[in-house]
Amino acid sequence: MVRLAFLVTVVFTVLLAGCSGAPSSAPAPAAGGAPAAASTPAVQQVTFRVPTMVCSHNCWPAVREALQKQPGVAAVTLAPQKEEVPIDNPLVTVKLNGTFDADRAIEAIAAAGFAKATVEP
């Protein structure tokens, strides 16, 4: 019972400290008293067209591995295909979790043997 009372006291104290005028993460007003513009949200995913990726057995794994090695990559997925073996829709989506350099990713795809990759709008 004493532990529960202590835990409740700690949680209550932390909650009050958060409301006690501590600096907030809200943007500071800009010069002239107007609020600062909200920052642009980070890109959550990038889609690449890899036209020279033609098979799902060798090409797709090589492209996936090249992209997975890039900083900021959380997941790499191939667009749905009509059939299992030939790639008829060479779009690859990269979900991001940090800073990501699309130009370096294109270079990595090219180094893996798949030239002409581009970022889809």
Side-chain angles (χ1 to χ4, degrees):
M1 189 68 166
V2 174
R3 284 185 178 169
L4 180 60
F6 176 74
L7 181 60
V8 169
T9 303
V10 170
V11 169
F12 185 71
T13 304
V14 170
L15 289 174
L16 283 179
C19 298
S20 66
S24 72
S25 60
S39 61
T40 323
V43 174
Q44 299 298 314
Q45 69 181 29
V46 177
T47 300
F48 293 94
R49 177 173 295 281
V50 187
T52 55
M53 178 179 62
V54 295
C55 73
S56 59
H57 293 298
N58 294 318
C59 299
W60 160 237
V63 170
R64 180 181 58 217
E65 183 178 334
L67 289 169
Q68 287 174 332
K69 290 180 179 178
Q70 299 304 301
V73 173
V76 180
T77 57
L78 179 63
Q81 307 296 309
K82 290 179 185 173
E83 296 181 31
E84 185 179 331
V85 179
I87 291 180
D88 55 59
N89 186 6
L91 296 179
V92 177
T93 301
V94 177
K95 292 191 182 196
L96 307 174
N97 65 0
T99 304
F100 179 76
D101 186 337
D103 291 332
R104 288 189 67 196
I106 289 173
E107 290 171 6
I109 294 169
F114 303 94
K116 301 181 183 179
T118 57
V119 174
E120 287 289 291

